[in-house]
């Protein structure tokens, strides 16, 4: 009896520890941001880092008294909620927030601007108290992917960093069965944000050294020539570093999409800057389900039946795109889990969908060998993402000195701007608007 | 007024209406309806930018009239199938006119380059300097189009030789089933002042300004002018209940993304071809040479900013400027009974003539029944009084 209790206790303890070690299952946790109905943003100055060692002057939005960040905090809100965003201005020129795609935004306080109401500089002794703050109120009437940015000299201020993302969850959002919109055709397993922006460092250097007025002696704003390209505020390879990395204090967000075979990955792509970016995702086509926060549907309730399959997402300044990306390994023509001794496994298709019910292996290719003979390690050079094995979830022997960033034996696919100049950091390749998608073997924890 | 008299009045009105429509009715049986003819000139025009810069433009205008940038809107009536442009050329070099998207028989003009190759200089027959020529499109179809020079286009189009051609499917019906009340036509373009100076002083094509590949525009224009000059014409008053057709045209060389960030619209066509399904957006990507049409209602009586989301919002490097404008909307007037865009004594006279009627119906309507309750009474008078004195009704 005692032994039985002990056994029970240790089993329970083991189970508890196992549960604690499990990654969180909430798919919505993948996109970092702030939730709620009320947001206090402060426009202030700082610097960002670029992987080439550069430090670029930033004007950005901060969460309250927190540090300025690029991009501004991602606001994750719910359809139907009334949202209040208060903006205080700690910059030395007027600033504002525009919410493209949100109709009937009420702006109070500050002064009237050309496009919306603007907050005057707090630190200017001439600014009356009530004119250094603007309160924007709107009702999030539709789910979807949106952005916000300054509408005060946006040709300068968005360039300087005053831009961020908004995600509106559909009414009745269930984090365990998430949907992008109110239709099952927009279901997904994981979601990732791709806020695409660029910077022309000449503008930032001129503003930092000589002040804003010095721009009038240049043609930088009309003859725009960016040299840094960002996903969620970081240039590659920083895009792949952890979120909230302490060495990137003003660039909290990363972009490292990871998924298991057979899952649906929702890409929320935002054209935040001035230029178009052909965002090219290797691995498979994606299916565009919405633009500008509106499902591509022929009539209400139909779901995204006007969507299209693409391998490059046309990202247009001011627009947003939602696309569903799937990867199964179907039709590769070889067994992704390996063949021969040491790779024994079954392909069990109980539900007749053509795939193994657990590993999502494409059963028609089960047992088909890799159609090449792998060369000896001595004749290979090794990239950072090769695990030593061509098979999913497997690792092989690497020569001494060859490390790998591929800890789980995943498949890496480059996702990048197909305007290849945008894959550099001030002329140094690789960098810029680029990251990797990792297909991880089933069971590999993905946060 | 007795019912009989009223009937008689309406009968006579109908009779006149039928009489007026008869020629059109008979005409619709003719296979080739009618042909509209525009007599245009191409000439030099100097324009002044808000910063005081003087720019030499080449543009189109009516013969005997003023050259404008962009050229005049060429409207083709719905029942016309043929458009003819008689062009008089007052420029120092040969020009022509093409309309991308409209079928025409073109006669390209070639020249022999320095390597002995035959190369196209003009997509169609030219109008020599000081001469005239005629350009005809026999099956002109509905939609929004650009007309522009088809000769030495890398220079001539940029110099200002562009305008819009518009044809509706029917009265206030842009394409089959796409109805609208008001139209807003916006032509986006740019100016590189150095290119214009080089053309004006003959240095274009020399090492000083070798070609349009060096194009670096500094002025960003909507309907030929930058902010704050780009406006909706004063006589085009837009009501909060109006369905507005936005005709968006890019005659420049850069991609622009016009946006009304506060309002979604339905993009319904591209290059004059309607989409099978509209696209609900608040932005329109407009590459060089593109036309798109969108339908929008602007339900609040206020100014809606419209600007280029690519942020070409400077004028010779100075902010604010460039491609920013406003679309103002006003509440519709109730009580403008004679549709003269004012609510005034004339409307009151009509109101009084119907005052006291209680027999209003669809078959027997009363214009003065402002609240549509079947009677013209004190309540209607109160509504009229609330609107009385309004002018510039949408």
């Amino acid at each position: 009896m005692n032994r039985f209790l002990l056994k029970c206790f240790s089993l329970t303890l083991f189970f508890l520890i196992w549960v604690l070690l499990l990654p969180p299952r909430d798919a919505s946790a993948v996109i970092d941001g702030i939730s709620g109905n009320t947001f206090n943003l402060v426009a202030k100055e700082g610097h960002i880092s670029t992987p080439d060692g550069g430090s670029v002057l930033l004007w950005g939005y901060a969460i309250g008294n927190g540090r300025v960040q690029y991009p501004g905090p991602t606001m994750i809100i719910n359809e139907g909620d009334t949202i209040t965003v208060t903006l205080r201005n700690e910059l030395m020129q007027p600033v504002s927030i525009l919410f493209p795609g949100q109709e009937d935004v009420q702006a109070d306080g500050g002064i009237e601007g050309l496009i919306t109401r603007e907050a005057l500089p707090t630190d200017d002794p001439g600014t009356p108290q009530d004119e250094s703050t603007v309160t924007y109120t709107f009702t999030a009437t539709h789910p979807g992917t949106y952005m916000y940015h300054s509408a005060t000299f946006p040709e300068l201020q968005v360039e300087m960093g005053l831009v961020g993302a908004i995600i509106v969850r559909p009414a009745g959002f269930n984090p365990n069965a998430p949907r992008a919109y109110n239709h099952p055709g927009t279901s997904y397993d994981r979601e990732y944000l791709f806020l695409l922006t660029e910077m022309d460092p000449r503008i930032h250097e001129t503003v930092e050294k000589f002040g804003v007025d010095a721009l009038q002696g240049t043609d930088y704003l009309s003859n725009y020539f960016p040299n840094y390209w960002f996903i969620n505020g970081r240039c590659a390879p920083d895009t792949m570093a952890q979120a909230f990395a302490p060495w990137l204090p003003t660039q909290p967000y990363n972009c490292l999409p990871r998924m298991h075979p057979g899952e649906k990955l929702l890409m929320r792509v935002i054209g935040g800057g001035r230029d178009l970016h052909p965002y090219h995702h290797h691995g498979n086509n994606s299916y565009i389900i919405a633009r500008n926060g509106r499902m591509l549907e022929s009539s209400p309730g139909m779901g995204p039946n006007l969507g299209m399959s693409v391998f490059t997402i046309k990202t247009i300044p001011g627009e947003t795109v939602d696309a569903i990306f799937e990867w199964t390994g179907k039709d590769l023509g070889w067994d992704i889990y390996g063949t021969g001794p040491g790779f024994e496994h079954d392909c069990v298709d109980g539900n007749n969908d053509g795939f193994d019910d657990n590993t999502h292996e494409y059963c028609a290719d089960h047992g088909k060998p890799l159609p090449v003979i792998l060369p000896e390690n001595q004749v290979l050079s090794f990239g950072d993402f090769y695990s030593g094995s061509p098979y999913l979830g497997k690792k092989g022997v690497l020569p001494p000195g060859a490390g790998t960033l591929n800890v789980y034996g995943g498949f890496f696919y480059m996702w990048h701007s197909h305007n290849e100049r945008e894959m550099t950091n001030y002329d140094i390749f690789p960098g810029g608007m680029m990251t990797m998608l990792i297909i991880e073997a089933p069971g590999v924890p993905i946060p | 007024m007795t019912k009989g008299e009223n009937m008689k009045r309406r009968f006579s009105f109908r009779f006149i209406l039928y009489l007026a429509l008869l020629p059109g009715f008979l005409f619709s049986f003719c296979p080739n309806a009618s042909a509209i003819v525009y007599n245009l000139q191409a000439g030099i025009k100097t324009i002044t930018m808000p910063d005081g810069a003087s720019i030499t433009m080449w543009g189109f205008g009516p013969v005997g009239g003023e050259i404008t940038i962009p050229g005049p809107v060429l409207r083709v009536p719905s029942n016309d199938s043929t458009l003819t442009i008689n062009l008089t050329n007052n420029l120092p070099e040969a020009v022509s006119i093409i309309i991308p998207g409209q079928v025409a028989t073109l006669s390209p003009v070639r020249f022999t380059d320095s390597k002995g190759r035959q190369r196209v200089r003009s997509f169609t027959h030219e109008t020599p300097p000081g001469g005239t020529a005629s350009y005809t499109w026999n099956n002109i179809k509905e939609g929004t189009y650009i007309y522009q020079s088809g000769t030495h286009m890398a220079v001539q189009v940029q110099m200002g030789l562009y305008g819009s051609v518009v044809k509706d499917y029917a009265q206030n019906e842009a394409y089959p089933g796409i109805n609208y009340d008001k139209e807003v036509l916006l032509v986006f373009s740019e100016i590189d002042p150095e290119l214009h100076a080089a053309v004006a002083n003959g240095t274009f094509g020399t090492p000083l300004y070798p070609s349009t590949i060096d194009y670096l525009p500094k002025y960003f224009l909507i309907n030929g002018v930058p902010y704050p000059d780009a406006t909706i014409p004063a006589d085009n008053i837009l009501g909060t209940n109006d369905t507005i057709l936005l005709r968006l045209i890019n005659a420049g060389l850069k991609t622009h993304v016009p946006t009304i960030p506060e309002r979604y619209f339905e993009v319904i066509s591209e290059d004059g071809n309607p989409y099978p399904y509209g696209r609900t957006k608040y932005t329109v990507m407009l590459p060089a040479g593109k036309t798109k049409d969108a339908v929008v209602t602007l339900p609040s009586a206020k100014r809606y900013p419209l600007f280029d989301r690519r942020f070409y919002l400077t004028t010779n490097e100075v902010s604010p400027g460039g491609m920013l404008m406003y679309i103002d909307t006003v509440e519709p007037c109730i009580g403008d009974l004679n549709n003269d865009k004012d609510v005034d004594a004339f409307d009151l006279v009509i109101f009084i003539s119907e005052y006291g009627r209680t027999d209003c119906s669809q078959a027997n309507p009363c214009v003065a029944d402002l609240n549509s309750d079947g009677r013209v009474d004190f309540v209607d008078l109160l509504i009229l009084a609330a609107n009385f004195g309004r002018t510039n009704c949408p």
Side-chain angles (χ1 to χ4, degrees):
Chain A
M1 191 71 178
N2 266 351
R3 210 189 288 171
F4 179 66
L5 263 178
L6 196 69
K7 221 179 210 175
C8 261
F9 179 74
S10 56
L11 264 175
T12 312
L13 193 70
F14 177 77
F15 179 73
L16 271 175
I17 292 170
W18 183 71
V19 166
L20 284 173
L21 288 176
L22 270 182
R25 302 291 299 169
D26 182 355
S28 66
V30 172
I31 294 182
D32 296 303
I34 50 176
S35 307
N37 294 335
T38 306
F39 302 96
N40 292 304
L41 301 189
V42 178
K44 53 176 85 164
E45 195 174 290
H47 287 84
I48 57 164
S49 299
T50 53
D52 59 344
S55 174
V56 183
L57 178 67
L58 169 71
W59 295 352
Y61 298 109
I63 304 169
N65 294 321
R67 199 153 177 179
V68 63
Q69 64 174 77
Y70 183 59
T74 300
M75 298 185 219
I76 302 172
I77 59 182
N78 297 314
E79 179 188 0
D81 283 1
T82 298
I83 307 299
T84 304
V85 182
T86 304
L87 172 67
R88 202 161 67 83
N89 184 4
E90 292 185 4
L91 294 169
M92 282 316 289
Q93 64 166 236
V95 72
S96 59
I97 308 181
L98 185 71
F99 300 89
Q102 307 299 337
E103 298 177 319
D104 303 317
V105 177
Q106 180 70 36
D108 299 297
I111 59 157
E112 192 179 341
L114 291 179
I115 295 170
T116 186
R117 293 193 78 82
E118 304 175 340
L120 292 176
T122 307
D123 292 341
D124 186 338
T127 300
Q129 184 83 38
D130 59 332
E131 291 184 3
S132 65
T133 300
V134 182
T135 302
Y136 305 92
T137 310
F138 63 90
T139 302
T141 55
H142 290 72
T145 306
Y146 303 89
M147 78 188 82
Y148 65 94
H149 60 76
S150 175
T152 308
F153 301 121
E155 64 277 23
L156 173 63
Q157 293 196 353
V158 175
E159 162 72 20
M160 293 301 289
L162 290 158
V163 58
I166 298 176
I167 292 166
V168 183
R169 302 275 181 225
F173 180 71
N174 175 4
N176 296 315
R179 292 174 178 180
Y181 294 86
N182 295 312
H183 193 276
T186 66
S187 297
Y188 61 88
D189 298 296
R190 302 176 187 284
E191 60 173 343
Y192 289 92
L193 181 67
F194 303 83
L195 172 55
L196 307 184
T197 56
E198 69 283 326
M199 282 185 178
D200 180 344
R202 302 174 305 171
I203 295 172
H204 299 252
E205 285 163 19
T206 304
V207 170
E208 185 157 29
K209 290 177 184 159
F210 308 109
V212 172
D213 292 342
L215 285 171
Q216 291 185 12
T218 73
D219 66 354
Y220 300 160
L221 292 177
S222 57
N223 181 19
Y224 186 55
F225 196 82
N227 256 315
Y228 291 117
W229 292 271
F230 302 84
I231 306 176
N232 300 342
R234 292 186 185 177
C235 312
D238 291 347
T239 46
M240 292 171 272
Q242 69 193 72
F244 302 100
W247 63 90
L248 294 166
T250 57
Q251 294 150 280
Y253 302 144
N254 70 346
C255 182
L256 186 62
R258 296 167 72 199
M259 64 187 284
H260 299 125
E263 290 181 341
K264 288 181 173 169
L265 188 151
L266 172 67
M267 304 174 68
R268 297 182 183 268
V269 189
I270 300 177
R274 293 180 66 175
D275 278 348
L276 289 99
H277 302 293
Y279 196 65
H280 179 58
H281 45 80
H282 286 237
N284 199 0
N285 276 25
S286 70
Y287 189 73
I288 295 183
I289 56 166
R291 277 191 177 273
N292 284 13
R294 294 293 184 270
M295 251 191 299
L296 301 179
E297 60 182 354
S298 57
S299 60
M302 293 300 289
N305 60 346
L306 300 179
M308 59 194 112
S309 176
V310 301
F311 54 75
T312 301
I313 291 176
K314 183 172 67 178
T315 315
I316 297 163
E319 295 199 359
T320 71
V321 174
D322 295 307
I324 301 279
F325 176 91
E326 291 181 84
W327 192 95
T328 62
K330 182 176 186 284
D331 291 334
L332 277 178
W334 51 279
D335 188 333
I336 56 172
Y337 295 108
T339 53
F343 297 102
E344 292 85 356
H345 63 279
D346 295 325
C347 201
V348 181
D349 183 11
N351 62 0
N352 267 324
D353 65 351
F355 296 91
D356 183 274
D357 300 337
N358 293 314
T359 66
H360 219 80
E361 179 186 351
Y362 181 54
C363 287
D365 284 345
H366 179 68
K368 292 185 184 169
L370 189 73
V372 292
I373 297 164
L374 287 177
E376 292 295 316
N377 275 0
Q378 285 88 336
V379 298
L380 289 173
S381 65
F382 290 84
D384 290 336
F385 301 132
Y386 185 53
S387 69
S389 166
Y391 303 122
L392 187 61
K394 306 293 189 298
K395 301 182 77 175
V397 178
L398 290 168
T404 180
L405 299 170
N406 187 352
V407 287
Y408 295 110
F411 291 169
F412 280 56
Y413 291 96
M414 188 185 280
W415 283 15
H416 62 100
S417 169
H418 221 303
N419 178 343
E420 310 268 332
R421 202 177 87 80
E422 300 181 348
M423 290 169 68
T424 61
N425 299 321
Y426 222 139
D427 297 338
I428 301 169
F429 175 89
M433 200 170 275
M434 187 260 278
T435 189
M436 291 285 174
L437 162 77
I438 312 175
I439 306 295
E440 299 282 22
V444 170
I446 299 175
Chain B
M1 191 185 294
T2 67
K3 199 173 176 181
E5 275 171 350
N6 200 34
M7 284 281 282
K8 205 155 120 193
R9 200 184 63 182
R10 280 193 297 120
F11 173 77
S12 57
F13 172 72
R14 255 187 210 168
F15 183 71
I16 292 165
L17 189 76
Y18 286 153
L19 214 60
L21 289 176
L22 192 62
F25 178 70
L26 292 174
F27 213 65
S28 66
F29 287 101
C30 307
N32 249 337
S34 59
I36 185 144
V37 177
Y38 282 100
N39 297 311
L40 295 186
Q41 59 157 326
I44 295 175
K45 161 107 175 172
T46 303
I47 61 171
T48 306
M49 288 289 112
D51 62 341
S54 197
I55 316 269
T56 302
M57 304 291 291
W58 294 356
F60 292 113
V63 167
E66 203 181 337
I67 303 285
T68 55
I69 316 295
V73 180
L74 305 184
R75 294 190 184 274
V76 179
S78 301
N79 57 347
D80 282 356
S81 60
T82 298
L83 166 69
T84 298
I85 301 174
N86 297 316
L87 180 62
T88 304
N89 184 5
N90 295 321
L91 287 170
E93 64 178 61
V95 296
S96 60
I97 293 189
I98 58 168
I99 305 175
Q102 294 286 3
V103 175
T105 307
L106 303 181
S107 338
V109 179
R110 294 179 172 81
F111 73 105
T112 308
D113 72 3
S114 58
K115 293 175 180 165
R117 298 173 296 192
Q118 283 282 299
R119 297 179 64 188
V120 169
R121 177 176 73 195
S122 180
F123 282 144
T124 193
H125 62 285
E126 294 176 336
T127 309
T132 58
S134 189
Y135 301 87
T136 299
W137 292 261
N138 282 320
N139 289 301
I140 204 116
K141 68 185 180 86
E142 66 263 19
T144 305
Y145 301 89
I146 300 173
Y147 69 93
Q148 60 188 26
S149 173
T151 306
H152 200 183
M153 290 171 64
V155 170
Q156 293 196 355
V157 177
Q158 163 60 24
M159 285 299 286
L161 289 165
Y162 52 77
S164 52
V165 182
V166 166
K167 183 185 176 183
D168 275 341
Y169 175 71
Q171 178 81 31
N172 284 55
E173 190 176 359
Y175 301 93
I178 305 290
N179 299 294
Y180 67 94
D181 302 310
K182 303 280 170 63
E183 174 196 273
V184 170
L185 186 151
L186 304 175
V187 179
F188 296 79
S189 61
E190 316 104 15
I191 292 174
D192 173 1
E194 292 184 25
L195 186 153
H196 289 249
V199 169
N201 60 28
T203 55
F204 185 93
T206 72
L208 285 173
Y209 200 109
S211 80
T212 312
I213 206 162
D214 298 307
Y215 178 73
L216 294 175
K218 291 191 167 56
Y219 299 100
F220 304 95
L221 320 174
I222 303 177
N223 288 345
V225 287
Y227 173 86
D229 297 339
T231 53
I232 305 291
D235 59 351
N236 190 15
I237 300 152
L238 305 169
T240 53
N241 60 343
D242 279 332
T243 300
I244 300 164
L245 178 70
L246 293 169
R247 298 187 190 269
L248 303 167
I249 298 161
N250 188 352
L253 304 186
K254 298 263 185 195
T255 296
H256 299 289
V257 183
T259 180
I260 304 175
E262 295 172 48
R263 191 66 185 158
Y264 279 83
F265 36 72
E266 205 73 7
V267 185
I268 50 107
S269 76
E270 178 171 345
D271 292 340
N273 298 310
Y275 293 138
Y277 295 93
R279 297 167 187 190
T280 310
K281 322 249 318 239
Y282 53 81
T283 48
V284 179
M285 185 175 76
L286 217 52
K290 180 68 71 184
T291 73
K292 287 183 182 175
D293 298 315
V295 171
V296 66
T297 55
L298 301 172
S300 303
K302 63 168 193 176
R303 33 184 29 189
Y304 287 85
L306 181 151
F307 59 89
D308 177 19
R309 183 52 182 76
R310 295 206 66 210
F311 295 146
Y312 286 111
L313 302 175
T314 53
T315 293
N316 197 17
E317 317 307 337
V318 178
S319 302
M323 292 171 167
L324 167 64
M325 66 176 296
Y326 299 100
I327 302 180
D328 294 300
T329 47
V330 294
E331 296 284 353
C333 296
I334 304 170
D336 178 17
L337 304 182
N338 61 354
N339 288 317
D340 66 349
K341 299 195 184 299
D342 299 319
V343 184
D344 54 14
F346 295 105
D347 303 303
L348 189 61
V349 169
I350 297 170
F351 185 87
I352 290 166
S353 74
E354 287 197 339
Y355 193 77
R357 276 186 63 181
T358 56
D359 59 340
C360 310
S361 65
Q362 204 148 18
N364 190 21
C366 315
V367 286
D369 180 14
L370 301 177
N371 62 351
S372 303
D373 66 347
R375 52 184 70 225
V376 181
D377 55 13
F378 190 67
V379 181
D380 300 301
L381 184 61
L382 286 178
I383 296 170
L384 183 74
N387 282 270
F388 200 79
R390 278 195 63 180
T391 55
N392 295 324
C393 294

